[in-house]
Amino acid sequence: MKTIFGQQTTKVKQLADLISQDISMGRYKTDTALPSINQLSHDYKVSRDTVFKAFIDLKERGIIDSTPGKGYYVVNRQKNILLLLDEYSPFKDTLYNSIIRRLSTRYKVDLWFHQYNEALFNAILRDSIGRYNKYVVMNFDNEKISPYLYKIDSSRLLLLDFGQFDKREYSYICQDFGEAFYAAMTQLADRLQNYRKLILFLARESKHPKETCDYFRKYCADHQLECEVIETLDDREVHSGEAYIAIRQVDVVEIVKKSRAAGLTCGVDFGLIAYNDTPAYEVIDKGITVMSVDWQKMGILTADFILSGKPIQVCLPTEVNLRVYL
């Protein structure tokens, strides 16, 4: 084809604009290979180096991409995002909605849950590599990381929530389950001193990091409080003068049910602290005090990473939402 290049800008930029225009007009279809560098060099009567640099320009604009063996090809202008979370919960719903509200309709978010199943986690990642523009992943364990994560381009991966493992150069928005938990309890020190015993309920099957137990015991030792960590509520009654910390929502509900059966009032006869806020905690027994990271903020920061691609490494604090009674 005969192409006349002007003097107003570089030949590389003009060629890139011409190819981009051809893509917009449908000459080159989405997910189809572009002509080779040699072919375009011949067609546009320019050097191979000019075509190569034009491809680089188009790749930086997100119009084309390349893979070994496939060459250069037109990418889908719709951005595909993998959001791989651990399991559904009301606060994960807050996280998801916070992300979605900040993204335009150009972004298609595929939501998966791995249910802390390592084999399922690895299978989802294995099948997704190369298919998404960004990967937002909650790991299945706080202490170790799947090797499949290391196969993802670090600029495209954001790790959420867990993060005691080596995160290398990857972006992350995590929470701390040890020192931050201790700091949150310290904020409640005046209230907790009103109870003769503190009890942390962490179910045996829970995937919540066990380091929380260590910092719970440390807090109680430092403040000279009797404490206990239990794994089951079976045959366990709620007693006056005790304060309970429950990680899972189902366990909060069970404690409330047992207390009502015993005729005890939350915040008067016993204390109750939940972990990770949900709307239900605002209305149960005039409001249950909660320790939680800000899941909405985590969602906003996640969306900003998706939109900008700027690296982020943040450990969100554990905040206290003190309600009417504790």
Side-chain angles (χ1 to χ4, degrees):
M1 65 183 69
K2 182 174 178 59
T3 303
I4 300 176
F5 291 96
Q7 301 298 318
Q8 68 275 19
T9 185
T10 67
K11 192 174 290 187
V12 169
K13 176 68 165 56
Q14 292 177 70
L15 178 59
D17 289 343
L18 284 170
I19 296 173
S20 176
Q21 183 178 358
D22 284 340
I23 292 171
S24 299
M25 297 298 292
R27 182 180 179 192
Y28 304 125
K29 304 294 185 182
T30 298
D31 291 329
T32 59
L34 288 165
S36 68
I37 289 177
N38 286 336
Q39 183 63 49
L40 290 176
S41 173
H42 176 269
D43 289 345
Y44 288 103
K45 305 297 189 282
V46 295
S47 69
R48 295 181 73 259
D49 187 58
T50 297
V51 177
F52 179 71
K53 289 178 179 177
F55 277 174
I56 292 176
D57 182 292
L58 291 167
K59 193 172 180 179
E60 290 175 348
R61 296 191 215 175
I63 297 173
I64 70 172
D65 205 346
S66 64
T67 55
K70 188 175 181 180
Y72 292 89
Y73 59 93
V74 182
V75 299
N76 191 336
R77 300 307 297 274
Q78 178 175 266
K79 301 292 185 180
N80 296 310
I81 310 300
L82 174 68
L83 179 59
L84 178 55
L85 305 182
D86 44 26
E87 61 184 2
Y88 175 78
S89 61
F91 51 89
K92 301 293 171 52
D93 199 44
T94 299
L95 169 70
Y96 174 77
N97 287 325
S98 181
I99 295 171
I100 295 299
R101 280 194 298 267
R102 208 164 175 86
L103 300 178
S104 71
T105 55
R106 286 186 59 229
Y107 291 83
K108 179 178 179 292
V109 178
D110 289 345
L111 175 62
W112 290 80
F113 294 97
H114 58 70
Q115 306 294 340
Y116 296 103
N117 183 312
E118 186 174 356
L120 176 60
F121 178 91
N122 289 336
I124 294 171
L125 281 185
R126 184 178 62 246
D127 293 342
S128 70
I129 291 176
R131 294 175 53 201
Y132 292 92
N133 299 92
K134 291 289 191 301
Y135 301 78
V136 180
V137 178
M138 282 185 175
N139 195 37
F140 60 86
D141 193 283
N142 192 45
E143 306 296 332
K144 64 178 181 177
I145 187 171
S146 167
Y148 282 100
L149 285 171
Y150 292 141
K151 296 182 179 182
I152 299 174
D153 182 347
S154 62
S155 67
R156 299 190 178 197
L157 174 63
L158 176 66
L159 300 170
L160 291 186
D161 202 18
F162 288 154
Q164 281 293 98
F165 46 80
D166 178 15
K167 294 180 285 296
R168 299 189 182 180
E169 73 277 20
Y170 292 110
S171 291
Y172 61 82
I173 306 170
C174 293
Q175 62 172 309
D176 175 70
F177 298 92
E179 293 181 0
F181 177 82
Y182 185 102
M185 291 192 67
T186 301
Q187 294 181 52
L188 298 170
D190 291 345
R191 300 293 186 98
L192 294 176
Q193 290 293 339
N194 296 326
Y195 298 97
R196 60 178 175 80
K197 185 176 183 180
L198 304 186
I199 298 171
L200 172 63
F201 176 56
L202 185 58
R204 186 180 299 108
E205 64 271 21
S206 172
K207 300 301 181 180
H208 189 90
K210 297 302 186 283
E211 67 174 316
T212 295
C213 299
D214 298 332
Y215 279 87
F216 170 75
R217 294 188 179 97
K218 175 175 169 47
Y219 173 87
C220 292
D222 292 345
H223 291 78
Q224 299 180 330
L225 292 170
E226 183 182 354
C227 70
E228 184 181 0
V229 176
I230 60 175
E231 294 183 335
T232 178
L233 285 171
D234 294 345
D235 302 321
R236 182 79 183 221
E237 302 299 326
V238 174
H239 298 289
S240 180
E242 297 180 343
Y244 301 84
I245 301 174
I247 303 298
R248 304 183 307 176
Q249 185 175 12
V250 63
D251 302 321
V252 172
V253 172
E254 186 64 19
I255 291 172
V256 171
K257 288 169 60 178
K258 285 177 176 287
S259 69
R260 290 176 178 175
L264 302 178
T265 301
C266 182
V268 177
D269 302 307
F270 75 101
L272 177 57
I273 301 171
Y275 200 92
N276 288 319
D277 211 355
T278 74
Y281 293 157
E282 297 181 32
V283 296
I284 297 176
D285 285 351
K286 297 185 179 180
I288 294 176
T289 292
V290 173
M291 295 190 296
S292 177
V293 298
D294 187 336
W295 291 98
Q296 183 172 350
K297 182 177 181 180
M298 184 181 287
I300 291 171
L301 292 175
T302 297
D304 288 346
F305 170 82
I306 292 171
L307 291 167
S308 70
K310 293 181 180 178
I312 181 173
Q313 293 186 331
V314 171
C315 189
L316 294 178
T318 300
E319 301 174 351
V320 174
N321 192 343
L322 181 61
R323 298 207 166 98
V324 178
Y325 293 123
L326 167 55

